[in-house]
Amino acid sequence: MSQSLLRFAPVLISAALIAGCTSADPRSVLSPGRGNQQAAIDAETGSAVVQGACPAVLLREGTAYYTTYAKGGDGDPAKLIHQASISDTTRQCRISGDQMIVTVVVTGRVVGGPQAKSGQVNLPLRVVALDGETVLYSELQKHPVMITEGGPAEQFIYTNASVTFPVSASRSAKLYAGFDPGPYNTP
């Protein structure tokens, strides 16, 4: 064996091992053509799992913040009741039959303003799944957060585990999450 080939042998072996770790069947790297012949089975439905993509959760412009003012005080800092902001989003996907089921998680915080009173604040959070212009899923929920007058910012974690759409749209679908103070029936 030549000296230059011996220098590259560890690199080639490492590449093969990495490829095996990312493969559905690590043995397929060592024996090409001998892949796993059985499809994965969904434990809940007993049906074959179809591979899909888990779309990332995006924020639309203007949906990362939600501000509430006392009546007639829009834009007046002295009339601010509270302001909420989204700090992070994530998701987890699974396939059940021909449906993609996504759990969307949104985290953030709520800060009381000069007009804040101790009690519950209901944050209007919407999750939408779109395929182009087609709405696959849209739901607005009021998420309760307790704040204390003059207290520190309160963190919140919102979870929607019922985002469902056809798995056939999983590669082109876009997920959006954010504040939506509008009516319940608009995406």
Side-chain angles (χ1 to χ4, degrees):
M1 219 183 267
S2 75
Q3 195 69 314
S4 61
L5 185 58
L6 287 175
R7 276 188 275 157
F8 290 110
V11 173
L12 294 173
I13 292 171
S14 296
L17 290 173
I18 290 170
C21 290
T22 59
S23 170
D25 182 4
R27 296 171 294 176
S28 65
V29 172
L30 300 174
S31 307
R34 181 192 156 215
N36 185 359
Q37 302 300 321
Q38 291 183 325
I41 303 297
D42 184 300
E44 276 187 37
T45 65
S47 59
V49 173
V50 178
Q51 294 300 317
C54 189
V57 180
L58 308 169
L59 291 173
R60 285 188 167 165
E61 188 173 333
T63 65
Y65 297 96
Y66 175 65
T67 306
T68 303
Y69 294 94
K71 190 171 183 171
D74 286 354
D76 182 357
K79 302 282 185 172
L80 179 70
I81 297 174
H82 61 78
Q83 183 172 28
S85 63
I86 293 174
S87 58
D88 202 6
T89 62
T90 191
R91 83 284 187 222
Q92 179 181 23
C93 299
R94 70 180 179 87
I95 298 174
S96 181
D98 65 347
Q99 296 292 303
M100 172 75 72
I101 302 168
V102 185
T103 299
V104 174
V105 179
V106 176
T107 62
R109 63 187 202 147
V110 180
V111 179
Q115 299 294 315
K117 304 285 185 232
S118 294
Q120 181 174 300
V121 173
N122 291 310
L123 304 177
L125 286 156
R126 181 179 295 279
V127 175
V128 177
L130 294 175
D131 187 6
E133 295 296 315
T134 304
V135 176
L136 302 173
Y137 176 91
S138 178
E139 184 175 7
L140 176 64
Q141 296 179 342
K142 300 288 185 178
H143 182 70
V145 179
M146 296 302 290
I147 64 169
T148 306
E149 184 177 346
E154 294 294 330
Q155 294 184 348
F156 69 87
I157 299 174
Y158 164 79
T159 303
N160 182 335
S162 61
V163 179
T164 306
F165 54 88
V167 73
S168 60
S170 66
R171 294 206 182 277
S172 58
K174 296 199 182 315
L175 288 175
Y176 295 96
F179 294 115
D180 183 359
Y184 276 96
N185 58 359
T186 60

